[in-house]
Amino acid sequence: MMEETLVVVVRAVIAFITLLIFARLLGKQQMANLTFFDYINGITIGSIAGTLATDLETKALVHWSGLAVFVAMTLLFQFLTLKNRYLAKVVDGQPVMVIVNGKILEKNLGRTRIKIDDLLMMLRQKDIFDITQVAFAIYEPDGSLSVLPKAEYQSVTPRDLNLTVAPAGMMTELIIDGELLEQNLRRRKKDQKWLQSQLKAHGVQDIKDVAFAAIL
């Protein structure tokens, strides 16, 4: 019993490290941005890795080889879909226009195989409760809905009001959980003396008392 447990532990570690390496190779992608193909492929790869860790009746190399083949095929299709737009449409699908000028395109909606109730729910998630306010709505390959409201229902921007605003900047973290990020401080061409003066201006004497500090 102990021997089998040890084998499972070793194989689980191998499967974990293998998945970590393969995940880095496949790149980062948010769950919300996964296409149906990506989702099913991810489940399959995870299932093979789980079998690699727990199936003691089959040699680990067999499952590892299957896992490697799936990842290699995924990498190959990623490369091919980057080079071939037609293949990308076949594998990942393509956007479908479902609303134009406040009217549902029922034929296109049927192609997406989503119900009107689901479409209305996705509109509400975009804070749109009146379909007549929509200029265009596009059902994306990852299952999300992109919505462009009609001009009269769009938010007002400073440009619309001819207002001059300060340029947007990136925030740089300087202190996290009481630890000074010296590299970030140097990147912003500041020193610890400057930082201490800023902290004292806010009534803080010790960097270790700061949970988070950043500069814009």
Side-chain angles (χ1 to χ4, degrees):
M1 183 66 180
M2 285 297 296
E3 184 179 346
E4 288 185 353
T5 302
L6 182 59
V7 172
V8 169
V9 170
V10 172
R11 291 174 65 154
V13 171
I14 294 173
F16 178 84
I17 294 175
T18 301
L19 273 182
L20 181 61
I21 294 172
F22 286 166
R24 295 292 293 175
L25 286 174
L26 293 176
K28 298 178 180 179
Q29 193 171 12
Q30 296 181 0
M31 286 297 295
N33 295 331
L34 294 179
T35 64
F36 184 72
F37 173 77
D38 295 328
Y39 178 71
I40 295 299
N41 197 42
I43 291 176
T44 303
I45 290 175
S47 177
I48 296 174
T51 305
L52 166 62
T54 58
D55 185 4
L56 302 183
E57 296 181 0
T58 310
K59 292 182 178 180
L61 182 60
V62 174
H63 298 298
W64 192 90
S65 299
L67 185 61
V69 169
F70 255 88
V71 172
M73 290 295 294
T74 302
L75 285 171
L76 176 62
F77 268 81
Q78 285 181 347
F79 176 77
L80 292 177
T81 51
L82 284 174
K83 299 296 183 180
N84 190 311
R85 183 171 175 80
Y86 175 77
L87 181 62
K89 290 181 180 180
V90 172
V91 175
D92 297 329
Q94 55 184 328
V96 179
M97 188 81 68
V98 292
I99 299 176
V100 174
N101 197 28
K103 295 182 180 180
I104 297 176
L105 305 181
E106 296 184 14
K107 185 176 180 180
N108 288 1
L109 191 65
R111 287 170 50 196
T112 65
R113 293 188 291 278
I114 61 173
K115 298 179 293 186
I116 291 181
D117 288 341
D118 294 331
L119 176 63
L120 295 176
M121 178 189 70
M122 287 189 282
L123 286 172
R124 290 193 294 271
Q125 291 174 341
K126 299 285 187 180
D127 296 327
I128 295 178
F129 292 81
D130 185 351
I131 197 172
T132 61
Q133 297 179 3
V134 179
F136 299 100
I138 302 172
Y139 189 68
E140 305 290 358
D142 63 0
S144 64
L145 188 70
S146 299
V147 181
L148 176 66
K150 292 180 179 178
E152 58 268 31
Y153 297 107
Q154 294 181 20
S155 301
V156 178
T157 65
R159 181 179 180 181
D160 296 329
L161 302 175
N162 293 321
L163 297 177
T164 302
V165 296
M170 289 289 292
M171 182 178 68
T172 302
E173 299 84 359
L174 299 180
I175 302 174
I176 296 179
D177 292 332
E179 293 189 11
L180 174 63
L181 306 179
E182 295 185 14
Q183 182 178 358
N184 288 1
L185 192 65
R186 290 194 299 269
R187 186 184 306 157
R188 296 301 297 266
K189 298 181 180 179
K190 304 292 183 181
D191 54 23
Q192 291 193 35
K193 184 178 180 181
W194 173 88
L195 180 60
Q196 290 288 355
S197 66
Q198 295 297 313
L199 292 176
K200 287 179 180 179
H202 289 82
V204 179
Q205 300 299 323
D206 193 342
I207 289 178
K208 296 186 182 300
D209 296 332
V210 180
F212 179 78
I215 184 175
L216 290 174

